[in-house]
Amino acid sequence: MSITQDKVVVVGAGLMGTGIAHAFASSGFTTVLVDSNAEAADRSLASVAKIMVDGVRLGKVDAAAAIAAKARLTTLADLAEAAEGAALLVETVTENLAVKKQVVSTAAPRMLPGALIATNTSALSVTEIATAVADPDRVVGMHFFNPVHKMKLVELVRGLATSDEAIAKSRQYCDAVGKTSIVVNEAPGLTTSRMSAMAGNEAMWMLQEGVATAEDIDTALRMGFNHPMGPLELGDLTGWDTRLSVLRYLHSTLGDKFRPCPLIVKMVASGRLGRKAGAGVYRYDDAGQRIAGSGLKASVL
Ligand SMILES: NC(=O)c1ccc[n+]([C@@H]2O[C@H](COP(=O)([O-])OP(=O)(O)OC[C@H]3O[C@@H](n4cnc5c(N)ncnc54)[C@H](O)[C@@H]3O)[C@@H](O)[C@H]2O)c1
């Protein structure tokens, strides 16, 4: 039997759940999207439809395939009902341990025997989430990236109890939805957040020390290493408040090499949070476009 005949339940119809549900439905899986907020589920279906329409318009997806994919995706408010007969659950609800444990403990007994339970958590412990189910060996981290329809990577996270079989099955699901998976043992920041936090922090230290202007630091990484964005541009996009909380967490768990650069602390205190605030390392106009030459320089810090 093909893996795409498996029933998949995605719990949490927010930013990530929308992308994940789209990925499974458009790869042939019967997909049920669950959210405790009916409006969120409706908004999510509309967003999935938009991704599909854009895909057809750009010639990336065949219209008939998009219509078939849309038909494979349904929503349900009741998690227990949705979980009946499911082979895979991907929880992507709000980043809160108690909420996530509640979701997996409700779903687990209703799914197929041995079904896989995946969490898309960015920073919580897979090992701890797994304590909410009777057989924690089938719980795995499946960390997708935003926007899911564009980003190829999934970090599979092995908790203390996660079995080899669960990792192997997770890899099959990632292959089936066209993603490249890597396996990471549970650790703060996994691979991506840890590297990205380090690069963004180091770029800020260089800016603070006057090593180069913001524009030149970003150009160095884009042109010298072929990164699609520089670390300061990326920090503006992510938000320096989010960056700072990740850095503080990594500092507390991994030590002094993640000590947040004081310039980040100062920027967050002053409200220069990034693109969403109209100003971060760079300034942005009302349309969210970067204003040329607006990058911070050591001389003005
Ligand atoms: N935003 C990102 O870039 C990103 C990237 C990777 C991983 N993540 C992780 O993905 C998860 C979701 O993030 P998001 O940005 O999509 O959040 P979001 O706030 O956009 O969506 C969360 C959704 O979960 C729903 N929800 C909350 N409790 C629920 C419950 N008990 N049952 C059903 N639905 C419930 C909410 O109504 C909401 O629609 C988090 O764990 C986050 O850390 C986020």
Side-chain angles (χ1 to χ4, degrees):
M1 190 172 117
S2 159
I3 194 172
T4 56
Q5 287 173 278
D6 286 356
K7 175 182 172 183
V8 175
V9 177
V10 178
V11 194
L15 185 67
M16 296 306 290
T18 299
I20 295 167
H22 167 261
F24 279 97
S26 53
S27 304
F29 290 88
T30 298
T31 309
V32 184
L33 183 58
V34 179
D35 202 291
S36 46
N37 175 344
E39 280 174 21
D42 289 346
R43 268 198 311 272
S44 180
L45 281 184
S47 301
V48 169
K50 183 173 181 324
I51 298 171
M52 287 174 174
V53 167
D54 288 350
V56 171
R57 190 168 42 79
L58 295 170
K60 291 182 178 167
V61 190
D62 175 66
I67 290 167
K70 188 89 185 35
R72 281 191 289 270
L73 177 62
T74 52
T75 59
L76 258 183
D78 184 12
L79 172 59
E81 185 186 344
E84 287 296 340
L88 169 67
L89 176 120
V90 184
E91 83 68 24
T92 184
V93 299
T94 317
E95 186 79 337
N96 175 302
L97 185 63
V99 178
K100 288 185 185 291
K101 285 173 84 169
Q102 174 66 40
V103 165
V104 298
S105 70
T106 302
R110 294 165 173 92
M111 297 172 69
L112 292 177
L116 192 68
I117 297 173
T119 169
N120 184 43
T121 181
S122 301
L124 297 172
S125 162
V126 174
T127 301
E128 218 169 333
I129 293 169
T131 60
V133 306
D135 34 7
D137 55 310
R138 62 182 171 123
V139 179
V140 64
M142 207 180 261
H143 186 224
F144 286 85
F145 289 78
N146 179 36
V148 178
H149 66 286
K150 290 194 179 151
M151 305 303 277
K152 284 276 178 212
L153 182 68
V154 175
E155 282 177 305
L156 296 176
V157 186
R158 189 194 281 278
L160 198 62
T162 309
S163 66
D164 290 345
E165 200 185 342
I167 293 287
K169 192 80 192 177
S170 304
R171 277 201 182 275
Q172 285 176 19
Y173 282 119
C174 290
D175 290 348
V177 297
K179 303 295 180 197
T180 299
S181 56
I182 61 165
V183 179
V184 185
N185 288 317
E186 185 175 316
L190 303 176
T191 56
T192 49
S193 301
R194 184 163 161 174
M195 283 304 299
S196 177
M198 173 64 85
N201 203 34
E202 197 56 36
M204 281 299 222
W205 280 107
M206 290 196 288
L207 185 60
Q208 180 176 288
E209 290 163 15
V211 172
T213 62
E215 283 87 350
D216 283 355
I217 292 168
D218 279 336
T219 301
L221 277 276
R222 273 193 276 101
M223 300 299 168
F225 294 154
N226 240 357
H227 288 191
M229 291 180 92
L232 300 173
E233 297 168 310
L234 185 58
D236 270 9
L237 187 65
T238 309
W240 290 101
D241 47 344
T242 307
R243 268 289 148 94
L244 182 58
S245 66
V246 171
L247 277 166
R248 283 183 167 145
Y249 171 62
L250 295 178
H251 186 209
S252 71
T253 49
L254 298 174
D256 207 47
K257 62 185 173 179
F258 286 98
R259 183 163 66 89
C261 171
L263 178 55
I264 302 179
V265 179
K266 206 188 287 181
M267 280 181 41
V268 171
S270 73
R272 287 187 77 135
L273 304 182
R275 192 181 289 244
K276 64 186 173 188
V281 170
Y282 301 97
R283 290 194 180 276
Y284 300 86
D285 63 21
D286 291 344
Q289 294 301 312
R290 196 164 108 191
I291 298 168
S294 64
L296 287 176
K297 295 174 183 61
S299 59
V300 297
L301 298 177

